[in-house]
Amino acid sequence: MSENKEPNLSETEKQIFKAIEANDVVLLKTLLAGIKNVNIVDENSMTPLQHAAYKGNKDLVQALLDQGADVNYGEHQHNYTSLHFAGLSGNADVCLALLLAGAKSQVMNTVGRTPSQMAAFVGHHNCVATINSYIPKEDVDFYTITPGVISKVQVLPTFLSESFHKFIMQTNIHPIKVVLNVQNFVGLSEHLSEVKKALEFMCEREIKRGAEKNEVMSFKFHYLGYIIGEILKVKLRQTAKKDELEEEKKLDMTELFTRKLLKPGKDGQLEIMDAFLKECIREFPYRDCTLFRQMVASLAGKDPPTALSVLTSAINGQMGFLDSISVCNTCGEHKPAKKCSKCKVVQYCDRNCQRLHWHWHKKACPRLSQSLIEDAQVKPDAGELSTELQNLLVNN
Ligand SMILES: [Zn+2]
Ligand SMILES: [Zn+2]
């Protein structure tokens, strides 16, 4: 254990800490070019990387990693690592950058908490989900085809490994988001069978690891594979060229799935999506595991939660907080940036999510707008509502 002492820092090294304090990425890069070793500590025994992580600044973190900052190095007196600080910052992208650089996620600080436990402690559930969903790249490489090696589990073409790695680490597991990601991540939609096969192997491997078995990961791989299987079925039907599918054929994958899954039921509940997800849970092959029993039990209880919230809790361990967060009406992404400009009730990530939902929302939108007006007339003193109404009138 080193005594608390004034560190012997050069002028440039001192300025590195100041540049981080000021969030000055350009200055930091210039300074970094002038020093040999970036694994230094200040008077609080913190490294530049730990400071950058605590500030939640992805660019600072990346600049330091690019210059060889050791992601697991530290002398912090309470044994906090860079990943602990990233978890406290609330920036999930910073957590991911550190994990990709090899940050250890199971190391404990002096009060016995891992980085994801610290993130949970301060309510940064996005960081918790990112850390808990992290999968080392070697796990993917295990299923990637190696030239000259004959192995029945190596089913993924090499160029897919990066997309596939990102795909299995996604933390928003809303089915529409999964389908969007299949389309967005390069190469996946052209190699659905290989992706499904790899997910099946990974699902089995996680449950059969003996003492190290991971039911959550096993179920997540099953879930992702199940959705890929559904996409495959739709593609097969589309190529079967049946006349009644003429209209379906004009739609892309995400349009088809949003039309199918987001169809509102009688009281606005998404009954079809719920049934779809319940079927997926039922098809999990390892029915005697604890996670499966828990999911079935919560779905069978009185006033059961939706299958989506049961799935989300099971995979991301986020019990009970989801209801209080605003989400995109199409893909379930948290804190979406946009609102429907007509009703100002439903929210979306972007224009694409709004476009995908419009098929169903166009029927509900006038009714939602109307109830906004009626509410404002019944309660003329409701300040917030009147403002909303004014906006509505201005925009129209
Ligand atoms: Zn969205
Ligand atoms: Zn609307």
Side-chain angles (χ1 to χ4, degrees):
M1 264 297 191
S2 63
E3 292 289 305
N4 237 356
K5 57 174 187 229
E6 212 38 43
N8 214 349
L9 295 177
S10 72
E11 207 41 53
T12 313
E13 289 171 339
K14 283 180 193 161
Q15 282 187 38
I16 284 178
F17 286 103
K18 285 188 183 145
I20 292 166
E21 180 57 36
N23 280 312
D24 192 337
V25 183
V26 178
L27 177 60
L28 176 67
K29 284 184 180 169
T30 315
L31 293 166
L32 286 174
I35 62 161
K36 285 203 179 74
N37 178 19
V38 64
N39 298 309
I40 49 174
V41 294
D42 67 358
E43 65 277 12
N44 300 310
S45 305
M46 278 174 73
T47 65
L49 186 64
Q50 291 176 338
H51 276 288
Y54 191 45
K55 288 191 89 68
N57 187 321
K58 167 106 191 289
D59 295 333
L60 292 176
V61 165
Q62 201 56 57
L64 288 159
L65 290 173
D66 291 346
Q67 280 299 315
D70 182 343
V71 74
N72 293 310
Y73 171 73
E75 293 179 14
H76 191 264
Q77 53 174 333
H78 298 299
N79 225 6
Y80 281 56
T81 63
S82 294
L83 192 56
H84 279 100
F85 286 114
L88 290 171
S89 82
N91 188 332
D93 288 339
V94 170
C95 295
L96 184 58
L98 295 174
L99 288 160
L100 286 168
K104 295 185 178 130
S105 60
Q106 294 307 316
V107 13
M108 283 185 218
N109 60 13
T110 49
V111 290
R113 285 208 170 94
T114 63
S116 94
Q117 287 167 337
M118 282 312 291
F121 185 64
V122 291
H124 293 319
H125 297 279
N126 52 345
C127 293
V128 178
T130 298
I131 298 170
N132 292 346
S133 314
Y134 183 74
I135 294 154
K137 183 69 171 22
E138 303 91 83
D139 281 21
V140 170
D141 294 340
F142 190 78
Y143 299 96
T144 306
I145 295 164
T146 321
V149 176
I150 298 166
S151 157
K152 104 178 161 57
V153 298
Q154 293 193 341
V155 289
L156 282 175
T158 318
F159 67 90
L160 271 192
S161 66
E162 203 172 309
S163 295
F164 183 80
H165 191 210
K166 275 197 285 179
F167 181 70
I168 58 175
M169 291 195 293
Q170 60 189 303
T171 56
N172 176 357
I173 50 104
H174 190 291
I176 299 298
K177 186 69 181 184
V178 175
V179 179
L180 277 166
N181 281 341
V182 169
Q183 232 172 17
N184 291 341
F185 293 170
V186 177
L188 294 186
S189 60
E190 293 86 30
H191 297 273
L192 294 170
S193 310
E194 294 95 318
V195 170
K196 186 166 187 290
K197 204 90 228 111
L199 286 165
E200 281 165 6
F201 283 132
M202 293 177 87
C203 170
E204 185 182 344
R205 184 163 89 145
E206 289 300 333
I207 211 83
K208 294 187 176 163
R209 274 182 197 269
E212 282 179 41
K213 78 168 175 178
N214 189 333
E215 295 182 353
V216 173
M217 279 299 172
S218 177
F219 181 74
K220 184 177 183 180
F221 295 146
H222 160 75
Y223 172 71
L224 296 175
Y226 181 83
I227 294 187
I228 300 278
E230 290 300 305
I231 299 176
L232 270 168
K233 277 187 211 161
V234 170
K235 282 211 160 176
L236 278 175
R237 275 200 311 163
Q238 276 186 320
T239 46
K241 289 184 182 154
K242 283 183 185 149
D243 286 347
E244 66 263 37
L245 292 174
E246 262 324 302
E247 208 215 343
E248 236 184 55
K249 265 191 268 176
K250 289 188 211 115
L251 303 173
D252 73 20
M253 202 52 59
T254 44
E255 284 170 323
L256 259 168
F257 272 84
T258 35
R259 286 210 187 171
K260 187 178 157 198
L261 295 183
L262 298 187
K263 182 180 181 181
K266 267 174 255 130
D267 46 359
Q269 299 290 325
L270 301 175
E271 289 153 12
I272 292 176
M273 185 163 89
D274 211 50
F276 172 81
L277 296 176
K278 279 180 184 157
E279 184 58 30
C280 167
I281 294 173
R282 261 196 295 275
E283 289 203 6
F284 186 53
Y286 308 105
R287 297 170 145 245
D288 50 0
C289 82
T290 316
L291 187 76
F292 179 76
R293 289 172 191 210
Q294 279 170 350
M295 286 190 289
V296 171
S298 45
L299 285 169
K302 232 175 79 180
D303 259 335
T306 62
L308 181 61
S309 74
V310 170
L311 272 168
T312 309
S313 304
I315 294 175
N316 288 333
Q318 299 165 328
M319 274 295 186
F321 91 100
L322 274 174
D323 303 336
S324 59
I325 277 184
S326 63
V327 295
C328 169
N329 270 61
T330 303
C331 76
E333 196 74 9
H334 289 180
K335 298 178 188 155
K338 303 266 190 303
K339 262 182 195 167
C340 169
S341 66
K342 288 213 175 82
C343 66
K344 296 195 190 294
V345 175
V346 295
Q347 304 187 53
Y348 302 106
C349 304
D350 51 29
R351 204 154 268 291
N352 190 40
C353 281
Q354 177 172 33
R355 178 185 67 86
L356 290 169
H357 193 229
W358 184 241
H359 178 77
W360 296 118
H361 181 60
K362 69 183 173 201
K363 296 178 181 111
C365 187
R367 201 168 58 242
L368 288 167
S369 313
Q370 189 57 35
S371 69
L372 203 66
I373 294 169
E374 280 162 13
D375 275 5
Q377 283 167 347
V378 175
K379 293 176 276 180
D381 290 328
E384 206 181 316
L385 222 40
S386 318
T387 324
E388 287 241 30
L389 182 62
Q390 275 167 18
N391 288 341
L392 186 71
L393 296 173
V394 169
N395 285 341
N396 285 344

